[in-house]
């Protein structure tokens, strides 16, 4: 009889400006629900999600318990809280709002802050609210160039319709597993 | 485009605490705001209230370690860090 495959625990930090939809993305992914009302996140909320993903390098599927840290999008005290929030993170899910150009540019600051604590860990960008009319200043080529320049994988998403949500969370977990040293 | 203004953090914190004086998230952010304003001891005191109410509040002990470090309180920093390691790994 073979032993049960070990469960891998991963801490993933969600970051990005206020009202980009971080909490809604988690809610869509974990509960398959969406609520139009906005309630600002204060502090952080932790959500656990179990998933099975293909093993890195073609090995057997791996059961992952992703610990999703939904961090408030208020830069006011970001630097003060960075150790509290980012210590031990293994992956970063950066979220921008496709209807507000400035939220894309701000991802650099969030990424820098997380990296200063957690090191050079896998990063995935999500350009959320793809169900809405985009900011006319945000051309698709510009978005693509932004992420390519930084070497980050990325995708469009919509917490409202579910577009790209499950794929996004799975992708960041796969990137983290691929990045981990073989055990 | 998003049609509403994003309220100031301090305003949101105040509103939440008016609704519930033990709102842990609001107290946690209030501790950070106080420390940001240079009132680190007050921040620690507020944070201790958070950790009394919920000893596993996410990031709470690590933040406490940060604040003690800002005050040069090495032993308290080490102790808070050890608690955070025990809880969050």
């Amino acid at each position: 009889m073979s032993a049960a495959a070990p469960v891998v625990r991963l801490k993933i930090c969600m970051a990005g400006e206020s009202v980009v939809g971080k909490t809604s993305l988690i809610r869509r992914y974990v509960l398959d629900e969406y609520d139009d009302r906005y309630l600002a996140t204060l502090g952080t909320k932790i959500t656990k999600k179990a998933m099975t993903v293909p093993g890195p390098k073609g090995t057997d599927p791996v059961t992952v318990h992703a610990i999703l840290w939904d961090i408030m999008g208020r830069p006011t005290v970001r630097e003060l809280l960075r150790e509290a929030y980012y210590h031990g993170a293994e992956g970063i899910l950066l979220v921008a709002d496709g209807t507000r150009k400035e939220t894309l540019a701000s991802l650099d600051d969030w990424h820098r802050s997380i990296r200063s604590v957690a090191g050079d860990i896998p990063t995935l960008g999500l350009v959320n609210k793809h169900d809405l009319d985009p900011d006319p200043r945000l051309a698709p080529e510009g978005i693509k160039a932004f992420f390519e320049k930084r070497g980050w994988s990325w995708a469009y998403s919509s917490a409202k319709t579910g577009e790209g949500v499950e794929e996004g969370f799975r992708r960041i977990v796969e990137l983290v597993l691929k990045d981990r040293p073989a055990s | 485009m998003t049609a509403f203004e994003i309220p100031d953090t301090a305003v949101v914190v105040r509103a939440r605490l008016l609704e519930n004086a033990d709102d842990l998230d609001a107290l946690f952010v209030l501790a950070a705001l106080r420390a940001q304003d240079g009132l680190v001891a007050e921040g620690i005191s507020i944070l201790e209230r958070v950790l009394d109410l919920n000893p596993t509040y996410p990031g709470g002990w690590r933040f406490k370690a940060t604040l003690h470090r800002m005050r040069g309180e090495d032993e308290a920093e080490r102790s808070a860090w050890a608690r955070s390691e025990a809880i969050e790994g």
Side-chain angles (χ1 to χ4, degrees), chain B residues 8-20:
Chain B
D8 179 71
T9 306
V11 172
V12 176
V13 166
R14 212 164 29 242
R16 295 271 179 96
L17 289 174
L18 277 174
E19 277 180 28
N20 173 12

Side-chain angles (χ1 to χ4, degrees), chain B residues 1-51:
Chain B
M1 296 216 249
T2 304
F4 55 88
E5 294 255 325
I6 297 166
D8 179 71
T9 306
V11 172
V12 176
V13 166
R14 212 164 29 242
R16 295 271 179 96
L17 289 174
L18 277 174
E19 277 180 28
N20 173 12
D22 287 333
D23 183 319
L24 296 183
D25 297 322
L27 286 170
F28 182 82
V29 178
L30 180 64
L33 290 170
R34 289 289 188 269
Q36 182 95 318
D37 290 342
L39 304 170
V40 182
E42 192 181 331
I44 291 173
S45 169
I46 297 167
L47 193 52
E48 283 171 344
R49 188 169 154 210
V50 172
L51 292 167

Side-chain angles (χ1 to χ4, degrees), chain A residues 9 11 18-19 38-46 69 72 74-78 80-81 83-85 87 97 99-101 129 133-137, chain B residues 1-2 4 6-10 12-13 16 23 25-26 28-29 31-33 35-36 57-60 62-63 65-67 69-70 81 85 88-89:
Chain A
R9 278 170 57 95
K11 175 177 174 178
S18 295
V19 209
Y38 174 64
L39 182 64
T41 301
L42 285 180
T44 184
K45 296 280 180 289
I46 294 180
W69 283 57
M72 66 175 180
R74 293 162 183 275
T76 329
V77 286
R78 176 171 52 204
L80 195 56
L81 290 169
E83 213 164 42
Y85 287 161
H87 181 86
D97 174 349
T99 72
R100 288 185 294 147
K101 185 183 181 191
K129 306 192 186 179
D133 289 336
D135 186 330
R137 300 168 299 166
Chain B
M1 296 216 249
T2 304
F4 55 88
I6 297 166
D8 179 71
T9 306
V12 176
V13 166
R16 295 271 179 96
D23 183 319
D25 297 322
F28 182 82
V29 178
L33 290 170
Q36 182 95 318
Y57 186 85
R62 280 212 169 86
F63 184 39
T66 299
L67 296 185
R69 184 166 64 237
M70 289 167 72
W81 191 263
E85 287 290 296
E88 290 171 7

Side-chain angles (χ1 to χ4, degrees), chain B residues 51 55-56 61-62 77-89:
Chain B
L51 292 167
T56 63
W61 290 102
R62 280 212 169 86
E77 179 196 348
R78 272 194 294 275
S79 170
W81 191 263
R83 287 291 298 269
S84 73
E85 287 290 296
I87 291 168
E88 290 171 7

